[in-house]
Amino acid sequence: MPRSVRTRITLLATSVTLGICVLVCAAVYVGLYLSLHREVDSFLQGEVREFQAIIQHEEDDDLKEIEREIRAELGGRPGADLTFRLLDKHGRLLITSDPEDSFPNPWPMVHTASGATASFEFFRDTHSSLRFCNQHVTFDRHGDVIVQAVYRLDRVERSLALCRWVCALAVFLAAILSYFGGKVVARNSMRPVAAITQSARNVTAKQLSLRVPRSGANDEIDELAVTLNDMLERIDAGVQRIQQFTADAAHELRTPLTALRGTAEFALSQPRSVEQLSAVIERSLEYYRVLTRITDDLLLLARLDAGQEPLRTEPCSVDTIVDEVVDLYRPLAADHGIELRMDPTSTLTASIDPGKIRRVISNLIDNAIKYMGGPGRVTIEFSTSNGTSTIRIADTGSGIPPNELPHVFERFYRVDRARSASPADAPRSIGLGLAICRSILQAHGGDLRIESTLGRGTDVSVVLPRNIES
Amino acid sequence: MRALVVEDEVGVASFIEGCLREASIAVDVAADGQAGIQLGRENAYDVIVLDLMLPIRDGFSVVRALRAEGVKAPVICLTARDAVDDRVKGLDSGADDYMVKPFSPAELLARIRALVRRTSAIATNPIRVGDLVIDVVARHVERAGRRIDLSAREFALLEYLARNVGHVLTRYMILEKVWDMNQDPLTNVVDVQMTRLRKKIDHGYATPLIHTVRGVGFVLRAD
């Protein structure tokens, strides 16, 4: 099997063209053969009828006389194309128009000449092929005889031989032409592929900005180039995202590490009391908490991205989960003058991973309390519409500025960075919460939507597919 | 009580050793899987703390080898990879519990206690801490003869503290056990909850029973 696509296209084109050419030639040849023989047969039949008429109307009873007349009429040439013969019913020769008649005598195939209609047969003598037309006739004067017209097929054979030659020549030329034509077509159509291969070879992780050339022909190969470029575009964007993410993650880890190192060095810089040292260690533990949470979140996010985080879904009472989270946060909210309000009568059941949805809900309530910036109210409502169940968490906080709203799902993005990463205190937010929430919900086939009006508050909607009836 | 710690990371091994010693547990340390199997075979330990990623022989094969030798001591696996199949594989090999790094020493101690208690579990009821009496069956709490009304969640929190009386529980452990939450919210929700409980349990009594261990967590203790 040839490996190159070019060779394969060439060979395929050649063999298909050749095959068609052979078929056409064969059809022409068979057609010519059949029509020539039919011509010969009808000619012979006519001749037989004429010969029959001659004998019928001949006054003379003497067969020898008739033979002489026929010979005179046909020119009596030996080896002429057309020969008339008259045989008795046993096939014995009575008269012949050929003075040098050398056909077998008696005629061996006489039985084929019985019946009313003419019969035909091939015969081969030393020189050429012959076509015999036999007609059984009963004359008043001569009784049962067989009238025979014989045609020498030399000319027909010559025509057919010529046809064969022409066909062979045509096939040969077609083979050569289609081979070279196929080669040209194959080369032209594969040229853009070679170009794509060449440039694709240069694309590496470091050079993802390269693109493959387009032929501009709008054909399949051009489409392939476009598809490859789209793919490169996506990979490029993905790699850039990962690079950005890695850089951001390193930066986020660096902040608590700097704080830890600073506190430790400061503590050791001069003798300190046990209380002072305890305070340093206590503060360090806060930073360790943050570091642990960052690495946990990064790991979870990486696994969610890779689709490796298993979802253990089961039919769950969503309202119970929300109620538990609200129960946990209510004292904290109350300390901040925030009321957590949840309609106790509404219920919601869905097929979810309870641990992960609990995480989402607590994250969102945590955010709502954290960013409220003063006394207010957080309302939690459930609603269902065809196909989806929604948990709406609405706060009366300060809202998110419209220019920041599109970025809230970005990793490590924090609204009001100055407040959340104040150096005096360990950060209370690491900017991965919403990204994780959305990834978790998308893994469930749902989504997270945020609407916000500056100064009025923020509406967060947890959308879950409604795959079981509540 | 005697424990075997199989851990190649010197820093981690010495911190585990330190906090087990402080909890009055005798500790042997092995730095690789082979040494771990040898020590585990020679001595009768009450608990084995085993890192899964070890030189020479990994933790899974250590557990299997020890179990094949008939060593019955409970095994806690330590893993940096908290992939589910790792946990399953560890438990399947014959380990009894697992912990994901990084973990707090208080949590490790709590799990060791739980494992050791499992073999000799005596369900004490009611639980008495000083003048506080917690009837876990009747869900009834009283202090110095006075009845204290608690919400269901507050009762669960108190019961968890009481079952680990004298031992520090971290915020994370409390969140996980009482609220079924497996993440640290970084906000002080637990502290606020604990303040509420403390108001009901300790308010108006001379000796406080719920103590805050700064930076670590909380403990129920009658000094």
Side-chain angles (χ1 to χ4, degrees), chain A residues 260-292:
Chain A
L260 278 173
R261 185 183 170 154
T263 9
E265 283 183 6
F266 173 74
L268 290 174
S269 62
Q270 48 177 290
R272 312 250 176 220
S273 69
V274 173
E275 283 72 33
Q276 280 174 319
L277 288 177
S278 296
V280 167
I281 294 171
E282 196 187 330
R283 206 169 328 129
S284 305
L285 276 172
E286 280 299 300
Y287 288 111
Y288 291 129
R289 249 177 102 180
V290 173
L291 279 173
T292 307

PDB file of all heavy atoms in Angstrom, chain A residues 260-292:
ATOM      1  N   LEU A 260       3.784  35.677  56.818  1.00  0.00           N
ATOM      2  CA  LEU A 260       4.296  34.678  57.765  1.00  0.00           C
ATOM      3  C   LEU A 260       5.758  34.920  58.061  1.00  0.00           C
ATOM      4  O   LEU A 260       6.185  34.943  59.216  1.00  0.00           O
ATOM      5  CB  LEU A 260       4.137  33.270  57.169  1.00  0.00           C
ATOM      6  CG  LEU A 260       2.771  32.642  57.319  1.00  0.00           C
ATOM      7  CD1 LEU A 260       2.728  31.346  56.525  1.00  0.00           C
ATOM      8  CD2 LEU A 260       2.518  32.358  58.804  1.00  0.00           C
ATOM      9  N   ARG A 261       6.519  35.104  56.976  1.00  0.00           N
ATOM     10  CA  ARG A 261       7.944  35.292  57.138  1.00  0.00           C
ATOM     11  C   ARG A 261       8.223  36.571  57.931  1.00  0.00           C
ATOM     12  O   ARG A 261       9.051  36.581  58.849  1.00  0.00           O
ATOM     13  CB  ARG A 261       8.563  35.372  55.748  1.00  0.00           C
ATOM     14  CG  ARG A 261      10.042  35.456  55.797  1.00  0.00           C
ATOM     15  CD  ARG A 261      10.611  35.609  54.423  1.00  0.00           C
ATOM     16  NE  ARG A 261      12.017  35.931  54.555  1.00  0.00           N
ATOM     17  CZ  ARG A 261      12.897  35.638  53.612  1.00  0.00           C
ATOM     18  NH1 ARG A 261      12.501  35.044  52.515  1.00  0.00           N
ATOM     19  NH2 ARG A 261      14.149  35.952  53.792  1.00  0.00           N
ATOM     20  N   GLY A 262       7.505  37.620  57.575  1.00  0.00           N
ATOM     21  CA  GLY A 262       7.674  38.907  58.247  1.00  0.00           C
ATOM     22  C   GLY A 262       7.396  38.800  59.731  1.00  0.00           C
ATOM     23  O   GLY A 262       8.193  39.240  60.563  1.00  0.00           O
ATOM     24  N   THR A 263       6.242  38.173  60.071  1.00  0.00           N
ATOM     25  CA  THR A 263       5.886  38.058  61.499  1.00  0.00           C
ATOM     26  C   THR A 263       6.928  37.250  62.237  1.00  0.00           C
ATOM     27  O   THR A 263       7.332  37.627  63.354  1.00  0.00           O
ATOM     28  CB  THR A 263       4.519  37.362  61.691  1.00  0.00           C
ATOM     29  OG1 THR A 263       4.077  36.845  60.465  1.00  0.00           O
ATOM     30  CG2 THR A 263       3.489  38.276  62.278  1.00  0.00           C
ATOM     31  N   ALA A 264       7.392  36.153  61.654  1.00  0.00           N
ATOM     32  CA  ALA A 264       8.357  35.291  62.334  1.00  0.00           C
ATOM     33  C   ALA A 264       9.668  36.047  62.561  1.00  0.00           C
ATOM     34  O   ALA A 264      10.230  36.031  63.656  1.00  0.00           O
ATOM     35  CB  ALA A 264       8.593  34.029  61.516  1.00  0.00           C
ATOM     36  N   GLU A 265      10.151  36.727  61.500  1.00  0.00           N
ATOM     37  CA  GLU A 265      11.418  37.443  61.624  1.00  0.00           C
ATOM     38  C   GLU A 265      11.299  38.578  62.636  1.00  0.00           C
ATOM     39  O   GLU A 265      12.198  38.805  63.453  1.00  0.00           O
ATOM     40  CB  GLU A 265      11.864  37.982  60.266  1.00  0.00           C
ATOM     41  CG  GLU A 265      12.453  36.882  59.393  1.00  0.00           C
ATOM     42  CD  GLU A 265      12.976  37.400  58.073  1.00  0.00           C
ATOM     43  OE1 GLU A 265      12.985  38.635  57.879  1.00  0.00           O
ATOM     44  OE2 GLU A 265      13.354  36.560  57.238  1.00  0.00           O
ATOM     45  N   PHE A 266      10.146  39.243  62.570  1.00  0.00           N
ATOM     46  CA  PHE A 266       9.920  40.342  63.518  1.00  0.00           C
ATOM     47  C   PHE A 266       9.921  39.804  64.958  1.00  0.00           C
ATOM     48  O   PHE A 266      10.528  40.386  65.846  1.00  0.00           O
ATOM     49  CB  PHE A 266       8.602  41.032  63.189  1.00  0.00           C
ATOM     50  CG  PHE A 266       8.192  42.064  64.197  1.00  0.00           C
ATOM     51  CD1 PHE A 266       8.846  43.304  64.250  1.00  0.00           C
ATOM     52  CD2 PHE A 266       7.174  41.816  65.096  1.00  0.00           C
ATOM     53  CE1 PHE A 266       8.468  44.256  65.175  1.00  0.00           C
ATOM     54  CE2 PHE A 266       6.798  42.771  66.026  1.00  0.00           C
ATOM     55  CZ  PHE A 266       7.450  43.993  66.063  1.00  0.00           C
ATOM     56  N   ALA A 267       9.266  38.669  65.160  1.00  0.00           N
ATOM     57  CA  ALA A 267       9.162  38.097  66.498  1.00  0.00           C
ATOM     58  C   ALA A 267      10.538  37.733  67.043  1.00  0.00           C
ATOM     59  O   ALA A 267      10.815  37.894  68.236  1.00  0.00           O
ATOM     60  CB  ALA A 267       8.268  36.861  66.488  1.00  0.00           C
ATOM     61  N   LEU A 268      11.434  37.252  66.172  1.00  0.00           N
ATOM     62  CA  LEU A 268      12.748  36.798  66.620  1.00  0.00           C
ATOM     63  C   LEU A 268      13.763  37.930  66.700  1.00  0.00           C
ATOM     64  O   LEU A 268      14.856  37.737  67.214  1.00  0.00           O
ATOM     65  CB  LEU A 268      13.262  35.703  65.680  1.00  0.00           C
ATOM     66  CG  LEU A 268      12.517  34.365  65.759  1.00  0.00           C
ATOM     67  CD1 LEU A 268      13.025  33.430  64.677  1.00  0.00           C
ATOM     68  CD2 LEU A 268      12.704  33.732  67.134  1.00  0.00           C
ATOM     69  N   SER A 269      13.434  39.122  66.195  1.00  0.00           N
ATOM     70  CA  SER A 269      14.418  40.201  66.077  1.00  0.00           C
ATOM     71  C   SER A 269      14.881  40.708  67.445  1.00  0.00           C
ATOM     72  O   SER A 269      15.963  41.244  67.568  1.00  0.00           O
ATOM     73  CB  SER A 269      13.845  41.352  65.254  1.00  0.00           C
ATOM     74  OG  SER A 269      12.718  41.893  65.910  1.00  0.00           O
ATOM     75  N   GLN A 270      14.064  40.531  68.466  1.00  0.00           N
ATOM     76  CA  GLN A 270      14.508  40.877  69.819  1.00  0.00           C
ATOM     77  C   GLN A 270      13.734  40.034  70.829  1.00  0.00           C
ATOM     78  O   GLN A 270      12.715  39.439  70.470  1.00  0.00           O
ATOM     79  CB  GLN A 270      14.315  42.367  70.075  1.00  0.00           C
ATOM     80  CG  GLN A 270      12.951  42.886  69.683  1.00  0.00           C
ATOM     81  CD  GLN A 270      12.798  44.352  70.026  1.00  0.00           C
ATOM     82  OE1 GLN A 270      12.729  44.702  71.199  1.00  0.00           O
ATOM     83  NE2 GLN A 270      12.767  45.191  69.005  1.00  0.00           N
ATOM     84  N   PRO A 271      14.200  39.968  72.072  1.00  0.00           N
ATOM     85  CA  PRO A 271      13.512  39.123  73.047  1.00  0.00           C
ATOM     86  C   PRO A 271      12.071  39.591  73.255  1.00  0.00           C
ATOM     87  O   PRO A 271      11.809  40.791  73.318  1.00  0.00           O
ATOM     88  CB  PRO A 271      14.329  39.329  74.350  1.00  0.00           C
ATOM     89  CG  PRO A 271      15.642  39.840  73.892  1.00  0.00           C
ATOM     90  CD  PRO A 271      15.422  40.590  72.638  1.00  0.00           C
ATOM     91  N   ARG A 272      11.128  38.641  73.277  1.00  0.00           N
ATOM     92  CA  ARG A 272       9.712  38.973  73.417  1.00  0.00           C
ATOM     93  C   ARG A 272       9.122  38.185  74.577  1.00  0.00           C
ATOM     94  O   ARG A 272       9.625  37.107  74.925  1.00  0.00           O
ATOM     95  CB  ARG A 272       8.926  38.615  72.152  1.00  0.00           C
ATOM     96  CG  ARG A 272       9.547  39.096  70.875  1.00  0.00           C
ATOM     97  CD  ARG A 272       8.734  40.208  70.263  1.00  0.00           C
ATOM     98  NE  ARG A 272       9.407  40.719  69.089  1.00  0.00           N
ATOM     99  CZ  ARG A 272       9.472  42.013  68.780  1.00  0.00           C
ATOM    100  NH1 ARG A 272       8.908  42.906  69.556  1.00  0.00           N
ATOM    101  NH2 ARG A 272      10.086  42.408  67.687  1.00  0.00           N
ATOM    102  N   SER A 273       8.041  38.713  75.098  1.00  0.00           N
ATOM    103  CA  SER A 273       7.366  37.988  76.167  1.00  0.00           C
ATOM    104  C   SER A 273       6.580  36.821  75.584  1.00  0.00           C
ATOM    105  O   SER A 273       6.345  36.759  74.376  1.00  0.00           O
ATOM    106  CB  SER A 273       6.403  38.925  76.897  1.00  0.00           C
ATOM    107  OG  SER A 273       5.339  39.235  76.029  1.00  0.00           O
ATOM    108  N   VAL A 274       6.184  35.897  76.437  1.00  0.00           N
ATOM    109  CA  VAL A 274       5.411  34.741  75.992  1.00  0.00           C
ATOM    110  C   VAL A 274       4.108  35.200  75.347  1.00  0.00           C
ATOM    111  O   VAL A 274       3.689  34.672  74.314  1.00  0.00           O
ATOM    112  CB  VAL A 274       5.125  33.802  77.188  1.00  0.00           C
ATOM    113  CG1 VAL A 274       4.173  32.685  76.774  1.00  0.00           C
ATOM    114  CG2 VAL A 274       6.417  33.224  77.718  1.00  0.00           C
ATOM    115  N   GLU A 275       3.495  36.214  75.909  1.00  0.00           N
ATOM    116  CA  GLU A 275       2.233  36.714  75.350  1.00  0.00           C
ATOM    117  C   GLU A 275       2.442  37.220  73.926  1.00  0.00           C
ATOM    118  O   GLU A 275       1.671  36.943  73.026  1.00  0.00           O
ATOM    119  CB  GLU A 275       1.658  37.846  76.224  1.00  0.00           C
ATOM    120  CG  GLU A 275       0.991  37.389  77.501  1.00  0.00           C
ATOM    121  CD  GLU A 275       1.993  36.895  78.537  1.00  0.00           C
ATOM    122  OE1 GLU A 275       3.129  37.427  78.587  1.00  0.00           O
ATOM    123  OE2 GLU A 275       1.657  35.937  79.282  1.00  0.00           O
ATOM    124  N   GLN A 276       3.549  37.996  73.758  1.00  0.00           N
ATOM    125  CA  GLN A 276       3.826  38.528  72.423  1.00  0.00           C
ATOM    126  C   GLN A 276       4.052  37.398  71.421  1.00  0.00           C
ATOM    127  O   GLN A 276       3.524  37.420  70.315  1.00  0.00           O
ATOM    128  CB  GLN A 276       5.070  39.430  72.481  1.00  0.00           C
ATOM    129  CG  GLN A 276       4.773  40.826  73.015  1.00  0.00           C
ATOM    130  CD  GLN A 276       6.056  41.624  73.176  1.00  0.00           C
ATOM    131  OE1 GLN A 276       7.077  41.084  73.628  1.00  0.00           O
ATOM    132  NE2 GLN A 276       5.998  42.894  72.811  1.00  0.00           N
ATOM    133  N   LEU A 277       4.825  36.391  71.859  1.00  0.00           N
ATOM    134  CA  LEU A 277       5.110  35.277  70.960  1.00  0.00           C
ATOM    135  C   LEU A 277       3.837  34.497  70.646  1.00  0.00           C
ATOM    136  O   LEU A 277       3.607  34.089  69.509  1.00  0.00           O
ATOM    137  CB  LEU A 277       6.161  34.355  71.575  1.00  0.00           C
ATOM    138  CG  LEU A 277       7.580  34.938  71.600  1.00  0.00           C
ATOM    139  CD1 LEU A 277       8.534  33.979  72.282  1.00  0.00           C
ATOM    140  CD2 LEU A 277       8.058  35.233  70.178  1.00  0.00           C
ATOM    141  N   SER A 278       2.994  34.315  71.669  1.00  0.00           N
ATOM    142  CA  SER A 278       1.728  33.609  71.445  1.00  0.00           C
ATOM    143  C   SER A 278       0.891  34.358  70.415  1.00  0.00           C
ATOM    144  O   SER A 278       0.286  33.747  69.525  1.00  0.00           O
ATOM    145  CB  SER A 278       0.934  33.495  72.750  1.00  0.00           C
ATOM    146  OG  SER A 278       1.649  32.724  73.647  1.00  0.00           O
ATOM    147  N   ALA A 279       0.895  35.684  70.516  1.00  0.00           N
ATOM    148  CA  ALA A 279       0.116  36.482  69.578  1.00  0.00           C
ATOM    149  C   ALA A 279       0.653  36.298  68.159  1.00  0.00           C
ATOM    150  O   ALA A 279      -0.118  36.182  67.184  1.00  0.00           O
ATOM    151  CB  ALA A 279       0.162  37.954  69.981  1.00  0.00           C
ATOM    152  N   VAL A 280       1.978  36.247  68.036  1.00  0.00           N
ATOM    153  CA  VAL A 280       2.594  36.057  66.713  1.00  0.00           C
ATOM    154  C   VAL A 280       2.179  34.704  66.139  1.00  0.00           C
ATOM    155  O   VAL A 280       1.772  34.598  64.973  1.00  0.00           O
ATOM    156  CB  VAL A 280       4.132  36.143  66.832  1.00  0.00           C
ATOM    157  CG1 VAL A 280       4.789  35.631  65.563  1.00  0.00           C
ATOM    158  CG2 VAL A 280       4.557  37.581  67.113  1.00  0.00           C
ATOM    159  N   ILE A 281       2.257  33.683  66.975  1.00  0.00           N
ATOM    160  CA  ILE A 281       1.921  32.337  66.504  1.00  0.00           C
ATOM    161  C   ILE A 281       0.445  32.276  66.123  1.00  0.00           C
ATOM    162  O   ILE A 281       0.072  31.703  65.094  1.00  0.00           O
ATOM    163  CB  ILE A 281       2.267  31.285  67.581  1.00  0.00           C
ATOM    164  CG1 ILE A 281       3.783  31.248  67.767  1.00  0.00           C
ATOM    165  CG2 ILE A 281       1.753  29.911  67.177  1.00  0.00           C
ATOM    166  CD1 ILE A 281       4.248  30.419  68.935  1.00  0.00           C
ATOM    167  N   GLU A 282      -0.371  32.930  66.944  1.00  0.00           N
ATOM    168  CA  GLU A 282      -1.802  32.930  66.658  1.00  0.00           C
ATOM    169  C   GLU A 282      -2.077  33.583  65.298  1.00  0.00           C
ATOM    170  O   GLU A 282      -2.849  33.074  64.496  1.00  0.00           O
ATOM    171  CB  GLU A 282      -2.526  33.688  67.771  1.00  0.00           C
ATOM    172  CG  GLU A 282      -4.006  33.426  67.787  1.00  0.00           C
ATOM    173  CD  GLU A 282      -4.697  34.328  68.804  1.00  0.00           C
ATOM    174  OE1 GLU A 282      -4.087  34.693  69.820  1.00  0.00           O
ATOM    175  OE2 GLU A 282      -5.853  34.688  68.546  1.00  0.00           O
ATOM    176  N   ARG A 283      -1.380  34.710  65.055  1.00  0.00           N
ATOM    177  CA  ARG A 283      -1.578  35.390  63.776  1.00  0.00           C
ATOM    178  C   ARG A 283      -1.068  34.502  62.621  1.00  0.00           C
ATOM    179  O   ARG A 283      -1.678  34.427  61.567  1.00  0.00           O
ATOM    180  CB  ARG A 283      -0.873  36.739  63.774  1.00  0.00           C
ATOM    181  CG  ARG A 283      -1.535  37.700  62.822  1.00  0.00           C
ATOM    182  CD  ARG A 283      -1.037  39.138  62.968  1.00  0.00           C
ATOM    183  NE  ARG A 283      -0.649  39.520  64.302  1.00  0.00           N
ATOM    184  CZ  ARG A 283       0.535  40.102  64.591  1.00  0.00           C
ATOM    185  NH1 ARG A 283       1.405  40.343  63.631  1.00  0.00           N
ATOM    186  NH2 ARG A 283       0.815  40.434  65.824  1.00  0.00           N
ATOM    187  N   SER A 284       0.049  33.810  62.895  1.00  0.00           N
ATOM    188  CA  SER A 284       0.578  32.913  61.861  1.00  0.00           C
ATOM    189  C   SER A 284      -0.453  31.856  61.491  1.00  0.00           C
ATOM    190  O   SER A 284      -0.634  31.535  60.320  1.00  0.00           O
ATOM    191  CB  SER A 284       1.836  32.207  62.350  1.00  0.00           C
ATOM    192  OG  SER A 284       2.779  33.145  62.779  1.00  0.00           O
ATOM    193  N   LEU A 285      -1.130  31.331  62.501  1.00  0.00           N
ATOM    194  CA  LEU A 285      -2.116  30.274  62.246  1.00  0.00           C
ATOM    195  C   LEU A 285      -3.213  30.768  61.296  1.00  0.00           C
ATOM    196  O   LEU A 285      -3.705  30.001  60.456  1.00  0.00           O
ATOM    197  CB  LEU A 285      -2.727  29.790  63.561  1.00  0.00           C
ATOM    198  CG  LEU A 285      -1.894  28.737  64.283  1.00  0.00           C
ATOM    199  CD1 LEU A 285      -2.461  28.469  65.655  1.00  0.00           C
ATOM    200  CD2 LEU A 285      -1.852  27.445  63.466  1.00  0.00           C
ATOM    201  N   GLU A 286      -3.570  32.048  61.425  1.00  0.00           N
ATOM    202  CA  GLU A 286      -4.566  32.625  60.514  1.00  0.00           C
ATOM    203  C   GLU A 286      -4.069  32.554  59.066  1.00  0.00           C
ATOM    204  O   GLU A 286      -4.802  32.204  58.156  1.00  0.00           O
ATOM    205  CB  GLU A 286      -4.829  34.088  60.890  1.00  0.00           C
ATOM    206  CG  GLU A 286      -5.775  34.242  62.060  1.00  0.00           C
ATOM    207  CD  GLU A 286      -7.135  33.642  61.751  1.00  0.00           C
ATOM    208  OE1 GLU A 286      -7.768  34.120  60.787  1.00  0.00           O
ATOM    209  OE2 GLU A 286      -7.543  32.694  62.440  1.00  0.00           O
ATOM    210  N   TYR A 287      -2.784  32.867  58.885  1.00  0.00           N
ATOM    211  CA  TYR A 287      -2.225  32.821  57.533  1.00  0.00           C
ATOM    212  C   TYR A 287      -2.128  31.383  57.024  1.00  0.00           C
ATOM    213  O   TYR A 287      -2.326  31.112  55.851  1.00  0.00           O
ATOM    214  CB  TYR A 287      -0.859  33.512  57.502  1.00  0.00           C
ATOM    215  CG  TYR A 287      -0.980  35.010  57.634  1.00  0.00           C
ATOM    216  CD1 TYR A 287      -0.547  35.669  58.765  1.00  0.00           C
ATOM    217  CD2 TYR A 287      -1.567  35.756  56.609  1.00  0.00           C
ATOM    218  CE1 TYR A 287      -0.668  37.042  58.896  1.00  0.00           C
ATOM    219  CE2 TYR A 287      -1.695  37.130  56.733  1.00  0.00           C
ATOM    220  CZ  TYR A 287      -1.254  37.763  57.873  1.00  0.00           C
ATOM    221  OH  TYR A 287      -1.393  39.110  57.985  1.00  0.00           O
ATOM    222  N   TYR A 288      -1.830  30.448  57.947  1.00  0.00           N
ATOM    223  CA  TYR A 288      -1.803  29.042  57.533  1.00  0.00           C
ATOM    224  C   TYR A 288      -3.196  28.612  57.065  1.00  0.00           C
ATOM    225  O   TYR A 288      -3.336  27.871  56.090  1.00  0.00           O
ATOM    226  CB  TYR A 288      -1.337  28.144  58.685  1.00  0.00           C
ATOM    227  CG  TYR A 288       0.112  28.318  59.045  1.00  0.00           C
ATOM    228  CD1 TYR A 288       0.513  28.534  60.355  1.00  0.00           C
ATOM    229  CD2 TYR A 288       1.081  28.256  58.056  1.00  0.00           C
ATOM    230  CE1 TYR A 288       1.835  28.700  60.679  1.00  0.00           C
ATOM    231  CE2 TYR A 288       2.418  28.431  58.379  1.00  0.00           C
ATOM    232  CZ  TYR A 288       2.790  28.659  59.692  1.00  0.00           C
ATOM    233  OH  TYR A 288       4.102  28.817  60.003  1.00  0.00           O
ATOM    234  N   ARG A 289      -4.188  29.105  57.771  1.00  0.00           N
ATOM    235  CA  ARG A 289      -5.575  28.802  57.379  1.00  0.00           C
ATOM    236  C   ARG A 289      -5.823  29.252  55.952  1.00  0.00           C
ATOM    237  O   ARG A 289      -6.394  28.534  55.140  1.00  0.00           O
ATOM    238  CB  ARG A 289      -6.532  29.568  58.310  1.00  0.00           C
ATOM    239  CG  ARG A 289      -7.313  28.717  59.254  1.00  0.00           C
ATOM    240  CD  ARG A 289      -8.136  29.615  60.141  1.00  0.00           C
ATOM    241  NE  ARG A 289      -9.525  29.655  59.720  1.00  0.00           N
ATOM    242  CZ  ARG A 289     -10.459  30.378  60.347  1.00  0.00           C
ATOM    243  NH1 ARG A 289     -10.135  31.136  61.363  1.00  0.00           N
ATOM    244  NH2 ARG A 289     -11.696  30.342  59.926  1.00  0.00           N
ATOM    245  N   VAL A 290      -5.379  30.485  55.683  1.00  0.00           N
ATOM    246  CA  VAL A 290      -5.587  31.043  54.349  1.00  0.00           C
ATOM    247  C   VAL A 290      -4.845  30.206  53.305  1.00  0.00           C
ATOM    248  O   VAL A 290      -5.392  29.858  52.261  1.00  0.00           O
ATOM    249  CB  VAL A 290      -5.112  32.512  54.305  1.00  0.00           C
ATOM    250  CG1 VAL A 290      -5.168  33.034  52.887  1.00  0.00           C
ATOM    251  CG2 VAL A 290      -5.967  33.352  55.234  1.00  0.00           C
ATOM    252  N   LEU A 291      -3.576  29.864  53.640  1.00  0.00           N
ATOM    253  CA  LEU A 291      -2.779  29.075  52.691  1.00  0.00           C
ATOM    254  C   LEU A 291      -3.448  27.739  52.412  1.00  0.00           C
ATOM    255  O   LEU A 291      -3.511  27.287  51.270  1.00  0.00           O
ATOM    256  CB  LEU A 291      -1.382  28.832  53.265  1.00  0.00           C
ATOM    257  CG  LEU A 291      -0.393  29.982  53.118  1.00  0.00           C
ATOM    258  CD1 LEU A 291       0.882  29.664  53.879  1.00  0.00           C
ATOM    259  CD2 LEU A 291      -0.073  30.203  51.643  1.00  0.00           C
ATOM    260  N   THR A 292      -3.943  27.099  53.468  1.00  0.00           N
ATOM    261  CA  THR A 292      -4.619  25.808  53.304  1.00  0.00           C
ATOM    262  C   THR A 292      -5.831  25.963  52.398  1.00  0.00           C
ATOM    263  O   THR A 292      -6.050  25.180  51.478  1.00  0.00           O
ATOM    264  CB  THR A 292      -5.074  25.279  54.677  1.00  0.00           C
ATOM    265  OG1 THR A 292      -3.960  25.271  55.540  1.00  0.00           O
ATOM    266  CG2 THR A 292      -5.638  23.889  54.556  1.00  0.00           C
TER     267      THR A 292
END
